[in-house]
Amino acid sequence: MRILALDWGDVRIGAAISDPDGKIAFPLEKIITAKGAVAEIKSIVSDLEVEKILIGLPKNLSGQEGESTKKVESFAASIQKEIGCPIELVDERFSSVEAGNKLDDAGMNQKKQRTIKDNIAAQTILQQYLDTKNN
């Protein structure tokens, strides 16, 4: 089963896709801008034969939901209405931090990180999900 993971943001939406067997997550090469995101995601779902969409649900450190959580839930509802693909909201705490650490470890400067960090965060969300489902 091919799964698309999304790391929602006000400006950019990070995206990653699983292999067809649902074992390995890969960051997408393109950046999805928040404006027009639903149409872009619909195209990705169709082109890559996605069967499920994961969306990172932001929570604070104590697990409480905040304003961003409401925005993500609204975004998920828009995707569900337009695309109809099954959607699962998953905890995304620390995914952006982990993505930044990976890119720092790779020696990438902050300016270059901005262009791919969201997709790496989505890859982190997806890989963690796949690892729990495949064990």
Side-chain angles (χ1 to χ4, degrees), residues 4-16 31-41 53-59 65-80 87-97 99 114 116-126:
L4 175 68
L6 303 172
D7 181 38
W8 179 86
D10 283 320
V11 178
R12 288 179 303 276
I13 297 166
I31 294 171
I32 300 172
T33 57
K35 189 175 184 174
V38 175
E40 178 98 23
I41 293 164
I53 299 173
L54 296 181
I55 302 176
L57 189 64
K59 295 182 180 182
E65 297 180 355
E67 189 62 36
S68 291
T69 304
K70 292 179 180 117
K71 290 180 181 180
V72 168
E73 289 170 340
S74 175
F75 173 67
S78 298
I79 291 174
Q80 181 66 56
I87 293 176
E88 187 173 336
L89 300 175
V90 296
D91 189 351
E92 66 146 20
R93 280 180 283 181
F94 306 112
S95 62
S96 294
V97 171
R114 257 182 261 133
I116 64 167
K117 187 175 184 178
D118 297 314
N119 287 0
I120 301 298
Q123 178 189 24
T124 300
I125 293 166
L126 180 53

Side-chain angles (χ1 to χ4, degrees), residues 25-46:
F26 301 95
L28 288 186
E29 291 185 22
K30 61 174 25 179
I31 294 171
I32 300 172
T33 57
K35 189 175 184 174
V38 175
E40 178 98 23
I41 293 164
K42 186 175 185 177
S43 175
I44 292 168
V45 167
S46 175

